Amino acid sequence: MAGGDDAIEIIDNSFNDLIIAEAPLEVLYDQCLWAEGPVWFGDTNVLVWSDIPNNRMLQYVPDLGVTPFRTPSNFVNGNTRDLQGRLISCSHGGRAVLRTEWDGTITTLVDRFQGKRLNSPNDVVVKSDGTIWFTDPPYGILSDYEGYKSDQEQDGCYVYRFDPADGSLVVLADDFAKPNGLAFSPDESVLYVSDTGQSHDPDWPAQIRKFGVSGSKLTNPSVFADIDCGLSDGFRLDTDGNIWTSAGLGVNVYNPDGALLGRIKTGAKTSNVVFGGPKRNRLFITCSEYLMSIDVNATGLQRP
Ligand code: MG
């Protein structure tokens, strides 16, 4: 089953306040190979996302449907927007973080650390000071399916902070197996980062970790949530600080204390989410070959 009107599972009663009981989970598109990286453009009412193995990006316009956005995309995965609203993308093929300029030209912001190529940037978020924080697991160089099969040049899979103002790139965390999704708390005092290392090591814990943010440093690492039903690939927060994350065949929602409140069952391996719509209360979900959406009773945190 993919989509439908029985998709909600209540685990904690407070989840009733975050969902619309009668809102259906709608399938908006079903022709991807692996959908990822949704990003909302409220100014143009467009949802853009990646179909990585098909080496393309697509766009969904409410009431109009789905059309190509960029083909080829050089295997873009995660997307977000910077302080000026420009599209920031993680490119597996380019092993780079890209910025799409107003005129459509594409700027490579960063593709190397200490002279060696990055692995394959996966997901990205922009802080309110304009710095770009991203994860760099190797999924885009392990095979030719999601990029170009290549040797890994970095000694590990790091979480990075890139400053476009001075071009500096620093490692924030170096003890993840495969860092993946990331997002800030509403006041940016906390950074959440997921680890999908279990994809290649069954003994590696499927977790979202939590860090304090102090300038350009991460402090006080702790486990925010152990994912009990698959991996957390990507996530977004609402204005109350709840975390809406992919987790196996659906979306898990955790409160800021790490308690699991409920699930949205997509029935398909789920990769990422983003809030969109004029009120930022429509949750778009990328999962396997699908783009889905469901109206919820939460407001997505404006990022940036
Ligand atoms: Mg990801």
Side-chain angles (χ1 to χ4, degrees), residues 36 77 122-123 180-181 233-234 271-272:
E36 252 279 19
N77 184 339
N122 188 294
D123 213 343
N180 206 315
D233 189 330
S271 63
N272 222 318

Side-chain angles (χ1 to χ4, degrees), residues 34 36-37 52 77-78 92 121-124 135 137 139 179-182 194 196 232-235 246 271-272:
W34 179 250
E36 252 279 19
I52 308 173
N77 184 339
H92 283 183
N122 188 294
D123 213 343
V124 60
T135 56
Y139 293 109
N180 206 315
L182 74 174
S194 68
T196 54
S232 164
D233 189 330
F235 47 90
S246 66
S271 63
N272 222 318

